[in-house]
Short mmCIF file of all heavy atoms in Angstrom, two decimals:
data_model
loop_
_atom_site.label_atom_id
_atom_site.label_comp_id
_atom_site.label_asym_id
_atom_site.label_seq_id
_atom_site.Cartn_x
_atom_site.Cartn_y
_atom_site.Cartn_z
N GLU A 3 87.44 112.66 69.14
CA GLU A 3 86.52 112.99 70.22
C GLU A 3 86.23 111.75 71.07
O GLU A 3 86.10 111.80 72.28
CB GLU A 3 85.26 113.58 69.68
CG GLU A 3 85.27 115.08 69.89
CD GLU A 3 84.02 115.73 69.40
OE1 GLU A 3 82.94 115.17 69.64
OE2 GLU A 3 84.14 116.78 68.75
N VAL A 33 85.62 88.90 81.57
CA VAL A 33 86.33 88.42 82.76
C VAL A 33 86.32 86.90 82.79
O VAL A 33 85.25 86.31 82.85
CB VAL A 33 85.70 88.97 84.06
CG1 VAL A 33 86.50 88.51 85.27
CG2 VAL A 33 85.58 90.49 84.05
N ILE A 63 91.05 88.87 74.55
CA ILE A 63 91.29 90.06 73.69
C ILE A 63 90.31 90.04 72.51
O ILE A 63 89.63 91.02 72.20
CB ILE A 63 92.74 90.14 73.22
CG1 ILE A 63 93.70 90.41 74.39
CG2 ILE A 63 92.90 91.21 72.12
CD1 ILE A 63 95.18 90.37 74.04
N THR A 68 85.40 91.93 69.76
CA THR A 68 84.17 91.52 69.07
C THR A 68 82.92 92.10 69.75
O THR A 68 82.05 92.68 69.12
CB THR A 68 84.05 89.97 69.03
OG1 THR A 68 85.27 89.49 68.50
CG2 THR A 68 82.87 89.51 68.16
N ASP A 76 90.60 101.30 65.42
CA ASP A 76 89.73 102.28 66.08
C ASP A 76 90.27 102.72 67.44
O ASP A 76 89.78 103.66 68.05
CB ASP A 76 88.34 101.68 66.35
CG ASP A 76 87.71 101.12 65.09
OD1 ASP A 76 87.88 101.76 64.02
OD2 ASP A 76 87.02 100.06 65.15
N ALA A 79 94.88 103.54 72.36
CA ALA A 79 95.96 103.04 73.22
C ALA A 79 95.63 101.68 73.80
O ALA A 79 94.48 101.24 73.77
CB ALA A 79 96.21 104.02 74.36
N HIS A 142 94.95 94.58 100.08
CA HIS A 142 95.09 95.98 100.50
C HIS A 142 93.95 96.46 101.36
O HIS A 142 92.81 96.07 101.14
CB HIS A 142 95.17 96.90 99.28
CG HIS A 142 96.44 96.73 98.50
ND1 HIS A 142 96.62 95.70 97.63
CD2 HIS A 142 97.58 97.49 98.47
CE1 HIS A 142 97.85 95.79 97.10
NE2 HIS A 142 98.42 96.87 97.58
N ASP A 162 98.79 95.21 109.32
CA ASP A 162 99.03 93.77 109.20
C ASP A 162 98.23 93.17 108.07
O ASP A 162 98.54 93.34 106.91
CB ASP A 162 98.83 93.05 110.55
CG ASP A 162 97.63 93.60 111.33
OD1 ASP A 162 96.51 93.54 110.78
OD2 ASP A 162 97.81 94.12 112.45
N GLN A 192 72.36 86.31 108.31
CA GLN A 192 71.40 85.38 108.95
C GLN A 192 71.63 85.28 110.45
O GLN A 192 70.87 84.64 111.17
CB GLN A 192 71.52 83.98 108.34
CG GLN A 192 71.24 83.94 106.83
CD GLN A 192 71.86 82.71 106.19
OE1 GLN A 192 71.94 81.67 106.83
NE2 GLN A 192 72.26 82.82 104.96
N GLU A 194 73.51 87.05 114.35
CA GLU A 194 73.58 88.27 115.14
C GLU A 194 74.94 88.45 115.79
O GLU A 194 75.66 87.45 116.03
CB GLU A 194 72.50 88.19 116.24
CG GLU A 194 71.13 88.55 115.69
CD GLU A 194 70.05 88.40 116.70
OE1 GLU A 194 70.33 88.62 117.91
OE2 GLU A 194 68.92 88.05 116.27
N GLU A 290 75.86 111.51 109.08
CA GLU A 290 76.87 112.40 109.62
C GLU A 290 77.44 113.43 108.62
O GLU A 290 77.86 114.50 109.00
CB GLU A 290 78.01 111.58 110.25
CG GLU A 290 77.49 110.79 111.43
CD GLU A 290 78.60 110.19 112.26
OE1 GLU A 290 79.73 110.70 112.24
OE2 GLU A 290 78.34 109.19 112.94
N ARG A 302 79.93 93.70 90.01
CA ARG A 302 80.78 93.20 88.92
C ARG A 302 81.99 94.09 88.70
O ARG A 302 82.99 93.68 88.10
CB ARG A 302 79.96 93.04 87.64
CG ARG A 302 79.61 94.30 86.97
CD ARG A 302 78.49 94.21 85.95
NE ARG A 302 77.87 95.53 85.86
CZ ARG A 302 78.31 96.52 85.10
NH1 ARG A 302 79.36 96.30 84.31
NH2 ARG A 302 77.75 97.70 85.11
#
Side-chain angles (χ1 to χ4, degrees):
E3 256 181 44
V33 182
I63 292 175
T68 307
D76 306 322
H142 291 78
D162 38 61
Q192 299 160 31
E194 280 177 31
E290 297 192 22
R302 74 197 154 84

